[in-house]
Amino acid sequence: MASSALICDTEPWKDLKSHVESIKKTHLRDLMKDVERCKSMIVESDGLLLDFSRQCATQGTMEKLFKLAEAAHLREKIDKMYKGEHINSTEDRSVLHVALRAARDATFYSDGKNVMPEVWNVLDKIKAFSEKVRSGSWVGETGKALKDVVAVGIGGSFLGPLFVHTALQTEPEAAKCAEGRQLRFLANVDPIDVARNITGLSPETTLVVVVSKTFTTAETMLNARTLREWISASLGPQAIAKHMVAVSTNLTLVEKFGIDPANAFAFWDWVGGRYSVCSAVGVLPLSLQYGFSVIEKFLSGASSIDKHFHSTPFEKNIPVLLGLLSVWNVSFLGYPARAILPYSQALEKFAPHIQQVSMESNGKGVSIDGLPLPFEAGEIDFGEPGTNGQHSFYQLIHQGRVIPCDFIGIMKSQQPVYLKGETVSNHDELMSNFFAQPDALAYGKTPEQLLGEKVPNHLIAHKTFSGNRPSLSLLLPSLNAYNIGQLLAIYEHRVAVEGFVWGINSFDQWGVELGKSLASQVRKQLNLSRTKGEPVEGFNFSTTNLLTRYLEAESG
Ligand code: F6P
């Protein structure tokens, strides 16, 4: 395929299109009878097990998908990413988040320069600083240790670190390291979020970490100014030097804000915001909470998947398989959504993080060369931990729309509980659901089965499950820092695979700009109306009316 051609014009794409009809005639009930097929759809690597036998696909489908990968130059695109080529072409940048978790002696180049010395300089600085804070040798203005951290940031400067923090909170080794400490996240510009985050904290014992790649994001900067004021009002402006640090690629703006550059932790333009959890964005707040050695394990889990992704043949490559199956579900079977269903409460913030990684990356309408896409790219990601989700939206997944599901299970719980007198442990109970749901979706229940169970006639239609609803099951050995890193990297690379095959740029996000600039016009108007009493002007009828009503309520 020529680099400017669209993937949908290639033979493998057309071949898959015509293959759909025959797949639609099959039912998972029958596909699951073929044990050889099922065996070929299980992949194991480094303690992980992926079973994709409940995808509406045959071995023939997989072969066609591998041909599609070839037509999309998937291997070359992955190599270009690892080589630091400017694959984020609209921003003219490398995409090198894999370097953030690579070993000290690894080499990754961006613009001809090995980035690893800089990566490890920052990691060493985080290690030293977090140890000082945790040991109490770095103290606040009044001489007290800083036991609480508020990380101020939004989007990629928030969701990934929150996911990892939530996942580590109940992990025994990490929890022990975090004893007596608190980590909170202030993201929303809503003053309610400020109130929630500072309630119960004292400026005397709080360290604020301002996290912003650009250091210009309106929400983050307003929240940072709010917390700067909170500290200053209580301890005096000189206290900022001890109570506020920053993570950014824009160290000039950090200094302008009033944070000592010595207390700034850098990252680089080759790290996309939503791929930045392994940079100081995540590593600093998480190391303050859990200690650097725990977070190093998280980085090494992610790095193990980076190696797997780069070197494993596609047939056994977990992110590649997941990415190709997503393309199959979205672009060929016509299922635009995906449910992410971790059977672990510790992963409650995983779906919100992946939502950004996936939807901000692949929600695009043009190819990387700017050609309008004649097909829909991107996926609608959502999810909740099981079993909570089962009592919420699973009804729709079982009998309403078809939504491919990712079931994520953990073999050994972080918190095993065995109640006396119960037949199984609490974790076994949870996992019973993890194992049952994919089969319920795949097999469904026929009217004949219901008649056999003597279900009254008038309920047969209501109680019938059509089945043939695709899912995949990913089993992790446990949920320690290493496994959390593995999970993160699997999903990051899966999103990249989808984007590479669709031929889009998964690493820019122009779609967030328009709303930001319109908000700035509204901000100007609110200021003029509030300070000078000027009427609302320059907006359409609806917005003028809404703004006028808002101003009349004097809610500011
Ligand atoms: O939502 C748009 C976005 O640019 C994200 O891509 C990014 O993660 C987030 O805003 C925050 O940006 P920054 O880290 O520059 O404050």
Side-chain angles (χ1 to χ4, degrees):
M1 185 180 86
S3 70
S4 62
L6 292 168
I7 186 68
C8 57
D9 295 328
T10 63
E11 282 314 311
W13 182 280
K14 291 178 194 161
D15 187 31
L16 277 159
K17 276 279 173 204
S18 46
H19 177 60
V20 169
E21 209 181 313
S22 72
I23 285 294
K24 290 251 170 172
K25 282 187 203 142
T26 63
H27 195 287
L28 276 169
R29 242 178 251 143
D30 300 315
L31 291 178
M32 293 300 290
K33 285 182 194 153
D34 181 348
V35 175
E36 285 312 310
R37 170 190 166 276
C38 292
K39 275 189 197 161
S40 76
M41 293 185 168
I42 295 171
V43 171
E44 292 193 60
S45 174
D46 195 14
L48 304 166
L49 189 155
L50 169 68
D51 181 336
F52 56 98
S53 59
R54 289 178 195 77
Q55 289 289 309
C56 297
T58 59
Q59 285 138 302
T61 317
M62 297 314 298
E63 277 162 28
K64 291 177 194 298
L65 284 170
F66 295 131
K67 290 212 172 105
L68 183 71
E70 221 173 278
H73 303 291
L74 181 60
R75 169 60 60 210
E76 292 90 320
K77 288 176 182 172
I78 296 171
D79 283 344
K80 281 183 179 179
M81 179 168 108
Y82 280 71
K83 279 187 193 147
E85 290 191 23
H86 283 207
I87 60 168
N88 176 359
S89 50
T90 59
E91 295 181 307
D92 198 13
R93 290 174 183 169
S94 315
V95 175
L96 270 181
H97 45 279
V98 292
L100 299 170
R101 50 245 190 168
R104 204 181 276 273
D105 58 358
T107 46
F108 281 98
Y109 288 89
S110 177
D111 298 320
K113 185 173 136 198
N114 180 13
V115 299
M116 292 316 296
E118 278 187 70
V119 167
W120 274 92
N121 269 347
V122 175
L123 289 175
D124 288 338
K125 184 171 166 181
I126 293 175
K127 183 172 187 242
F129 178 72
S130 58
E131 275 166 12
K132 272 196 236 161
V133 172
R134 288 170 57 80
S135 67
S137 72
W138 175 290
V139 290
E141 181 66 10
T142 58
K144 291 191 179 166
L146 302 177
K147 63 181 181 53
D148 303 317
V149 170
V150 181
V152 180
I154 199 163
S157 295
F158 157 58
L159 290 159
L162 176 68
F163 143 57
V164 179
H165 170 51
T166 314
L168 283 174
Q169 243 169 355
T170 41
E171 199 282 320
E173 185 198 344
K176 200 158 187 296
C177 297
E179 267 168 20
R181 305 196 61 82
Q182 280 190 74
L183 172 59
R184 298 184 181 188
F185 293 89
L186 171 55
N188 200 334
V189 73
D190 186 339
I192 294 168
D193 210 17
V194 177
R196 281 187 183 169
N197 273 288
I198 60 176
T199 297
L201 294 189
S202 159
E204 271 188 293
T205 51
T206 302
L207 177 71
V208 174
V209 183
V210 184
V211 185
S212 176
K213 180 173 171 180
T214 54
F215 231 69
T216 58
T217 302
E219 295 95 322
T220 300
M221 297 327 295
L222 182 54
N223 279 334
R225 291 196 295 277
T226 308
L227 291 203
R228 184 176 62 186
E229 183 58 34
W230 178 66
I231 291 165
S232 241
S234 162
L235 305 171
Q238 74 296 342
I240 298 304
K242 290 178 182 153
H243 290 262
M244 282 187 105
V245 299
V247 176
S248 187
T249 57
N250 195 334
L251 301 184
T252 313
L253 288 185
V254 169
E255 189 169 6
K256 228 171 163 189
F257 179 86
I259 292 176
D260 186 345
N263 300 336
F265 298 81
F267 67 114
W268 308 272
D269 70 0
W270 43 261
V271 183
R274 53 195 173 273
Y275 298 93
S276 67
V277 57
C278 295
S279 72
V281 166
V283 176
L284 177 62
L286 293 164
S287 296
L288 286 162
Q289 178 69 1
Y290 298 105
F292 185 77
S293 64
V294 170
I295 304 312
E296 226 180 345
K297 289 178 191 158
F298 159 71
L299 296 178
S300 92
S303 175
S304 73
I305 293 296
D306 297 339
K307 289 179 198 135
H308 166 91
F309 178 52
H310 197 197
S311 60
T312 309
F314 288 173
E315 293 75 15
K316 298 276 172 210
N317 190 314
I318 293 176
V320 168
L321 289 165
L322 291 176
L324 291 177
L325 288 166
S326 290
V327 171
W328 170 237
N329 284 322
V330 174
S331 299
F332 297 96
L333 297 183
Y335 304 140
R338 169 175 59 200
I340 299 171
L341 309 169
Y343 277 65
S344 171
Q345 196 58 30
L347 294 176
E348 67 176 314
K349 296 296 177 192
F350 184 58
H353 175 50
I354 297 309
Q355 207 166 46
Q356 191 208 12
V357 172
S358 164
M359 294 171 78
E360 197 166 86
S361 295
N362 288 342
K364 306 286 163 65
V366 295
S367 75
I368 196 156
D369 302 306
L371 300 173
L373 289 181
F375 56 86
E376 308 253 28
E379 264 163 331
I380 302 157
D381 289 277
F382 71 100
E384 272 294 317
T387 62
N388 290 8
Q390 292 176 200
H391 299 273
S392 168
F393 52 81
Y394 277 37
Q395 165 65 41
L396 181 141
I397 295 178
H398 280 288
Q399 286 187 311
R401 292 164 188 262
V402 177
I403 299 184
C405 296
D406 291 358
F407 289 96
I408 302 167
I410 316 295
M411 299 197 214
K412 266 180 84 179
S413 176
Q414 286 181 342
Q415 299 286 330
V417 174
Y418 297 88
L419 278 188
K420 256 196 194 150
E422 296 287 327
T423 50
V424 293
S425 72
N426 297 28
H427 185 63
D428 284 343
E429 178 59 33
L430 173 74
M431 292 300 283
S432 303
N433 289 275
F434 167 84
F435 292 114
Q437 289 291 333
D439 277 340
L441 288 167
Y443 289 81
K445 199 159 196 182
T446 62
E448 295 71 35
Q449 285 172 304
L450 292 164
L451 282 170
E453 290 172 11
K454 308 255 180 303
V455 171
N457 264 337
H458 71 282
L459 288 180
I460 297 282
H462 297 280
K463 292 195 160 197
T464 298
F465 290 71
S466 60
N468 204 28
R469 288 159 189 261
S471 71
L472 55 87
S473 305
L474 181 64
L475 261 177
L476 274 62
S478 53
L479 198 58
N480 56 29
Y482 182 88
N483 309 133
I484 295 164
Q486 288 178 304
L487 185 62
L488 170 85
I490 287 173
Y491 273 75
E492 285 179 346
H493 295 320
R494 171 202 216 167
V495 166
V497 168
E498 293 174 58
F500 287 149
V501 174
W502 280 319
I504 59 178
N505 183 354
S506 299
F507 305 104
D508 61 10
Q509 58 287 314
W510 301 106
V512 300
E513 296 304 324
L514 181 58
K516 283 186 196 171
S517 70
L518 292 183
S520 105
Q521 277 177 41
V522 175
R523 189 182 305 122
K524 269 186 210 140
Q525 177 69 58
L526 290 177
N527 180 30
L528 283 176
S529 300
R530 292 230 188 266
T531 57
K532 301 194 177 142
E534 289 197 9
V536 176
E537 257 174 17
F539 298 89
N540 60 36
F541 174 81
S542 168
T543 308
T544 305
N545 184 46
L546 290 166
L547 277 173
T548 307
R549 293 291 294 270
Y550 174 71
L551 285 160
E552 280 166 7
E554 291 185 3
S555 62

